[in-house]
Amino acid sequence: MPWEVLDWDRLLARQSIPPSGQAGNDRRWVHPLCDCTDLDETARSYCALSQVLFEHIQAMKGMFLRHQGLGPGAEADGTPFVIGITGSVAVGKSTTAKLLRKLLSHWPTSPRVDIVATDGFLLPRAQLEAKRLQHRKGFPESYDTDAIRNFLSKLKAGAAVIEVPVYSHELHDIVPGSTIRVEHPDILIFEGLNILQPGGIEGCGEYAPAISDHIDYAIYIDAEVEDIRRWYIQRFMGLRRHTSSTCEPVVANHARPSDAEATANAIWRNINELNLSENILPTLPLADLVLRKGANHEVQQVALRTA
Ligand SMILES: Nc1ncnc2c1ncn2[C@@H]1O[C@H](COP(=O)(O)OP(=O)(O)OP(=O)(O)O)[C@@H](O)[C@H]1O
Ligand SMILES: CC(C)(CO)[C@@H](O)C(=O)NCCC(=O)O
């Protein structure tokens, strides 16, 4: 697969986004969004990523306007642009989404940016149990895929308000009666494990549309499996400290940290790592951009698909 490794210095030197569009020179904006060790390097790498997206969206907009016979000053059609972010459980999709939202909303075009996670479209725990899917959480069959496609169709059709269900990592379940409102953003960051899965064949023998049909630009976050496992265990142990025993038996019913860590390792091995190798990693070649992270979450490489 032809990939071009991004040269950040050359890209940032182009300054296609003026410095005022880079969330400021003060790198402390990074800190509330992620607990990274090198603020400057993190800001620089995500600014480079933001610039790739800016140039791509401007080029798409220019192409659309030319196609409509309109000049560069004209307004495009206002359809939300969907950026997909995928990769393993705990690889940092939500964190990257938040960093990008911060940067994108500082663009000179001041776009309104929303984030939606496919977690909200997981089947509620009771339904997973009824279908004996409780050990397949995160696998394609554990989501309401029709609801995901429906959501993206409505978004692309210009719906003014769409309500999306919410998943809680503390409850390990969909939060009953809770939704977030998506109100016709300029850019939607849509993050999840399964967004690049092929559509498959439906009962009547026809191809089902794929979720990715609605994704305009797809980012895959990649890292060493051993690093992702460590991040997953750290997050699990952190959540355990913050979870009351009434919330989540899987997390909270471990009096001893070593028991909790053993459970986290078992969930990683039997569910999340399996899902990564069977379903998620095979979609990497379908991404437009691969962001490769090192052991401390630093961005080591950004590669763009050229064909
Ligand atoms: N750039 C970063 N610097 C420091 N820590 C990070 C960074 N990115 C992610 N993390 C940490 O790694 C863990 C996983 O990150 P995050 O929750 O964003 O992953 P995710 O891919 O969205 O997970 P899931 O698929 O389970 O929702 C979290 O504990 C998060 O704080
Ligand atoms: C919610 C998912 C599936 C995806 O984000 C993941 O974070 C998760 O919870 N995986 C299942 C294993 C676990 O309970 O941690």
Side-chain angles (χ1 to χ4, degrees):
M1 181 65 66
W3 295 96
E4 177 198 331
V5 173
L6 203 71
D7 180 339
W8 300 349
D9 291 326
R10 258 185 45 204
L11 182 88
L12 289 170
R14 278 212 293 268
Q15 291 205 334
S16 44
I17 309 178
S20 61
Q22 297 282 23
N25 288 329
D26 182 351
R27 302 316 199 188
R28 278 174 299 183
W29 63 267
V30 172
H31 211 55
L33 302 173
C34 83
D35 197 12
C36 57
T37 40
D38 186 338
L39 281 188
D40 262 349
E41 203 38 43
T42 305
R44 230 169 66 84
S45 50
Y46 286 97
C47 282
L49 184 55
S50 156
Q51 190 158 320
V52 171
L53 293 166
F54 182 75
E55 290 180 6
H56 183 83
I57 293 179
Q58 290 304 103
M60 297 293 288
K61 190 177 152 194
M63 225 159 65
F64 172 82
L65 292 176
R66 274 196 301 282
H67 187 69
Q68 301 288 312
L70 299 168
E75 274 305 305
D77 69 342
T79 306
F81 187 92
V82 180
I83 299 172
I85 302 185
T86 191
S88 168
V89 165
V91 78
K93 298 179 297 299
S94 329
T95 308
T96 301
K98 286 180 208 148
L99 286 164
L100 277 181
R101 175 171 54 187
K102 175 83 181 170
L103 284 167
L104 270 48
S105 52
H106 278 79
W107 284 357
T109 44
S110 310
R112 281 197 314 110
V113 186
D114 279 343
I115 299 177
V116 169
T118 58
D119 293 2
F121 296 97
L122 275 163
L123 299 174
R125 187 158 61 184
Q127 276 190 46
L128 289 176
E129 281 168 6
K131 292 177 180 243
R132 296 177 190 276
L133 289 174
Q134 65 270 37
H135 301 303
R136 305 281 291 175
K137 205 165 158 192
F139 282 65
E141 63 271 26
S142 65
Y143 293 88
D144 184 346
T145 308
D146 284 341
I148 298 180
R149 284 195 291 250
N150 229 331
F151 161 67
L152 290 172
S153 301
K154 277 192 198 158
L155 178 94
K156 285 289 194 179
V161 181
I162 316 173
E163 308 260 353
V164 180
V166 176
Y167 178 83
S168 155
H169 272 101
E170 280 80 14
L171 295 175
H172 278 230
D173 205 351
I174 297 295
V175 185
S178 182
T179 54
I180 54 163
R181 284 164 71 85
V182 178
E183 297 182 31
H184 201 277
D186 299 303
I187 300 176
L188 177 81
I189 303 180
F190 192 57
E191 60 106 344
L193 309 173
N194 59 339
I195 60 171
L196 296 181
Q197 294 299 317
I201 297 177
E202 286 185 322
C204 51
E206 288 180 354
Y207 281 106
I211 295 169
S212 59
D213 293 345
H214 294 294
I215 292 177
D216 298 297
Y217 198 88
I219 298 174
Y220 187 101
I221 307 180
D222 193 25
E224 287 296 318
V225 175
E226 183 45 33
D227 291 329
I228 312 174
R229 184 193 67 82
R230 185 165 41 80
W231 301 334
Y232 175 75
I233 307 296
Q234 280 166 357
R235 188 180 65 184
F236 187 100
M237 299 304 281
L239 282 170
R240 172 184 167 272
R241 278 191 291 277
H242 291 109
T243 307
S244 92
S245 56
T246 52
C247 280
E248 172 46 41
V250 177
V251 178
N253 275 359
H254 298 95
R256 290 182 309 173
S258 56
D259 292 344
E261 198 161 330
T263 302
N265 267 304
I267 296 175
W268 171 261
R269 212 178 31 253
N270 299 327
I271 303 178
N272 297 330
E273 188 174 356
L274 204 62
N275 195 14
L276 173 60
S277 60
E278 285 182 2
N279 297 305
I280 305 168
L281 195 54
T283 66
L284 181 149
L286 304 176
D288 297 293
L289 181 151
V290 177
L291 187 152
R292 173 89 189 163
K293 283 170 55 169
N296 293 316
H297 291 283
E298 74 282 11
V299 179
Q300 283 184 328
Q301 191 187 74
V302 174
L304 309 181
R305 184 149 62 91
T306 54

